[in-house]
PDB file of all heavy atoms in Angstrom:
ATOM      1  N   LYS A  57     -11.868   0.208 -11.494  1.00 97.00           N
ATOM      2  CA  LYS A  57     -13.128  -0.279 -10.782  1.00 97.00           C
ATOM      3  C   LYS A  57     -13.808  -1.311 -11.608  1.00 97.00           C
ATOM      4  O   LYS A  57     -14.737  -1.922 -11.004  1.00 97.00           O
ATOM      5  CB  LYS A  57     -14.007   0.931 -10.622  1.00 97.00           C
ATOM      6  CG  LYS A  57     -13.663   1.722  -9.357  1.00 97.00           C
ATOM      7  CD  LYS A  57     -14.894   2.769  -9.230  1.00 97.00           C
ATOM      8  CE  LYS A  57     -16.309   2.165  -8.901  1.00 97.00           C
ATOM      9  NZ  LYS A  57     -16.631   2.072  -7.557  1.00 97.00           N
ATOM     10  N   ARG A  59     -15.876  -0.612 -13.870  1.00 95.00           N
ATOM     11  CA  ARG A  59     -17.031   0.143 -13.910  1.00 95.00           C
ATOM     12  C   ARG A  59     -17.662   0.255 -15.326  1.00 95.00           C
ATOM     13  O   ARG A  59     -16.922   0.732 -16.188  1.00 95.00           O
ATOM     14  CB  ARG A  59     -16.881   1.556 -13.269  1.00 95.00           C
ATOM     15  CG  ARG A  59     -18.196   2.301 -12.956  1.00 95.00           C
ATOM     16  CD  ARG A  59     -17.725   3.648 -12.396  1.00 95.00           C
ATOM     17  NE  ARG A  59     -18.877   4.598 -12.172  1.00 95.00           N
ATOM     18  CZ  ARG A  59     -19.342   4.727 -10.986  1.00 95.00           C
ATOM     19  NH1 ARG A  59     -19.054   4.024  -9.902  1.00 95.00           N
ATOM     20  NH2 ARG A  59     -20.271   5.722 -10.783  1.00 95.00           N
ATOM     21  N   PRO A 143     -15.616   8.225  -7.809  1.00 98.00           N
ATOM     22  CA  PRO A 143     -16.582   7.161  -7.404  1.00 98.00           C
ATOM     23  C   PRO A 143     -15.988   6.437  -6.114  1.00 98.00           C
ATOM     24  O   PRO A 143     -14.918   6.769  -5.760  1.00 98.00           O
ATOM     25  CB  PRO A 143     -16.617   6.125  -8.552  1.00 98.00           C
ATOM     26  CG  PRO A 143     -15.083   6.305  -9.103  1.00 98.00           C
ATOM     27  CD  PRO A 143     -14.761   7.712  -8.837  1.00 98.00           C
ATOM     28  N   SER A 144     -16.822   5.725  -5.568  1.00 98.00           N
ATOM     29  CA  SER A 144     -16.395   4.969  -4.264  1.00 98.00           C
ATOM     30  C   SER A 144     -15.150   4.168  -4.677  1.00 98.00           C
ATOM     31  O   SER A 144     -15.213   3.598  -5.709  1.00 98.00           O
ATOM     32  CB  SER A 144     -17.527   4.156  -3.765  1.00 98.00           C
ATOM     33  OG  SER A 144     -18.111   3.353  -4.738  1.00 98.00           O
ATOM     34  N   ASN A 146     -13.960   1.087  -4.552  1.00 97.00           N
ATOM     35  CA  ASN A 146     -14.120  -0.309  -4.483  1.00 97.00           C
ATOM     36  C   ASN A 146     -14.277  -0.801  -5.898  1.00 97.00           C
ATOM     37  O   ASN A 146     -14.594  -0.078  -6.773  1.00 97.00           O
ATOM     38  CB  ASN A 146     -15.420  -0.673  -3.666  1.00 97.00           C
ATOM     39  CG  ASN A 146     -16.621   0.007  -4.356  1.00 97.00           C
ATOM     40  OD1 ASN A 146     -16.856   1.203  -3.872  1.00 97.00           O
ATOM     41  ND2 ASN A 146     -17.373  -0.591  -5.152  1.00 97.00           N
ATOM     42  N   SER A 152     -18.570  -0.764  -0.514  1.00 97.00           N
ATOM     43  CA  SER A 152     -17.614   0.448  -0.510  1.00 97.00           C
ATOM     44  C   SER A 152     -16.428   0.232   0.381  1.00 97.00           C
ATOM     45  O   SER A 152     -16.637  -0.515   1.349  1.00 97.00           O
ATOM     46  CB  SER A 152     -18.382   1.660  -0.286  1.00 97.00           C
ATOM     47  OG  SER A 152     -19.405   1.754  -1.247  1.00 97.00           O
ATOM     48  N   GLU A 180     -22.491   5.825   1.739  1.00 98.00           N
ATOM     49  CA  GLU A 180     -22.448   6.838   0.697  1.00 98.00           C
ATOM     50  C   GLU A 180     -23.458   8.035   0.821  1.00 98.00           C
ATOM     51  O   GLU A 180     -24.503   7.901   1.610  1.00 98.00           O
ATOM     52  CB  GLU A 180     -22.779   6.107  -0.697  1.00 98.00           C
ATOM     53  CG  GLU A 180     -21.850   4.984  -1.031  1.00 98.00           C
ATOM     54  CD  GLU A 180     -22.228   3.638  -0.459  1.00 98.00           C
ATOM     55  OE1 GLU A 180     -23.162   3.685   0.326  1.00 98.00           O
ATOM     56  OE2 GLU A 180     -21.598   2.711  -0.910  1.00 98.00           O
ATOM     57  N   ARG A 195     -30.740   8.015  -4.886  1.00 95.00           N
ATOM     58  CA  ARG A 195     -30.124   6.977  -4.177  1.00 95.00           C
ATOM     59  C   ARG A 195     -30.118   7.329  -2.748  1.00 95.00           C
ATOM     60  O   ARG A 195     -29.684   8.392  -2.264  1.00 95.00           O
ATOM     61  CB  ARG A 195     -28.406   6.972  -4.517  1.00 95.00           C
ATOM     62  CG  ARG A 195     -27.728   5.930  -3.673  1.00 95.00           C
ATOM     63  CD  ARG A 195     -26.272   5.569  -4.035  1.00 95.00           C
ATOM     64  NE  ARG A 195     -25.468   6.889  -3.598  1.00 95.00           N
ATOM     65  CZ  ARG A 195     -24.307   7.060  -3.743  1.00 95.00           C
ATOM     66  NH1 ARG A 195     -23.482   6.172  -4.418  1.00 95.00           N
ATOM     67  NH2 ARG A 195     -23.527   8.065  -3.292  1.00 95.00           N
ATOM     68  N   HIS A 232     -24.757  -4.360  -6.141  1.00 79.00           N
ATOM     69  CA  HIS A 232     -23.981  -3.463  -5.376  1.00 79.00           C
ATOM     70  C   HIS A 232     -23.592  -4.066  -4.055  1.00 79.00           C
ATOM     71  O   HIS A 232     -24.363  -4.835  -3.508  1.00 79.00           O
ATOM     72  CB  HIS A 232     -24.883  -2.359  -5.072  1.00 79.00           C
ATOM     73  CG  HIS A 232     -24.533  -1.102  -5.883  1.00 79.00           C
ATOM     74  ND1 HIS A 232     -25.382  -0.720  -6.950  1.00 79.00           N
ATOM     75  CD2 HIS A 232     -23.453  -0.365  -5.944  1.00 79.00           C
ATOM     76  CE1 HIS A 232     -24.765   0.328  -7.516  1.00 79.00           C
ATOM     77  NE2 HIS A 232     -23.549   0.649  -6.939  1.00 79.00           N
ATOM     78  N   TYR A 233     -22.665  -3.585  -3.380  1.00 85.00           N
ATOM     79  CA  TYR A 233     -22.320  -3.617  -2.026  1.00 85.00           C
ATOM     80  C   TYR A 233     -22.153  -5.116  -1.518  1.00 85.00           C
ATOM     81  O   TYR A 233     -22.310  -5.578  -0.360  1.00 85.00           O
ATOM     82  CB  TYR A 233     -23.425  -3.091  -1.161  1.00 85.00           C
ATOM     83  CG  TYR A 233     -24.042  -1.762  -1.563  1.00 85.00           C
ATOM     84  CD1 TYR A 233     -25.328  -1.628  -2.129  1.00 85.00           C
ATOM     85  CD2 TYR A 233     -23.119  -0.663  -1.723  1.00 85.00           C
ATOM     86  CE1 TYR A 233     -25.780  -0.404  -2.545  1.00 85.00           C
ATOM     87  CE2 TYR A 233     -23.636   0.546  -2.214  1.00 85.00           C
ATOM     88  CZ  TYR A 233     -24.987   0.653  -2.727  1.00 85.00           C
ATOM     89  OH  TYR A 233     -25.393   1.800  -3.163  1.00 85.00           O
TER      90      TYR A 233
HETATM   91 MG1  LIG B  21     -20.091   3.018  -5.415  1.00 77.20          MG
END
Side-chain angles (χ1 to χ4, degrees):
K57 275 187 66 91
R59 183 181 178 98
S144 51
N146 55 278
S152 297
E180 297 84 352
R195 176 181 71 181
H232 258 112
Y233 320 115

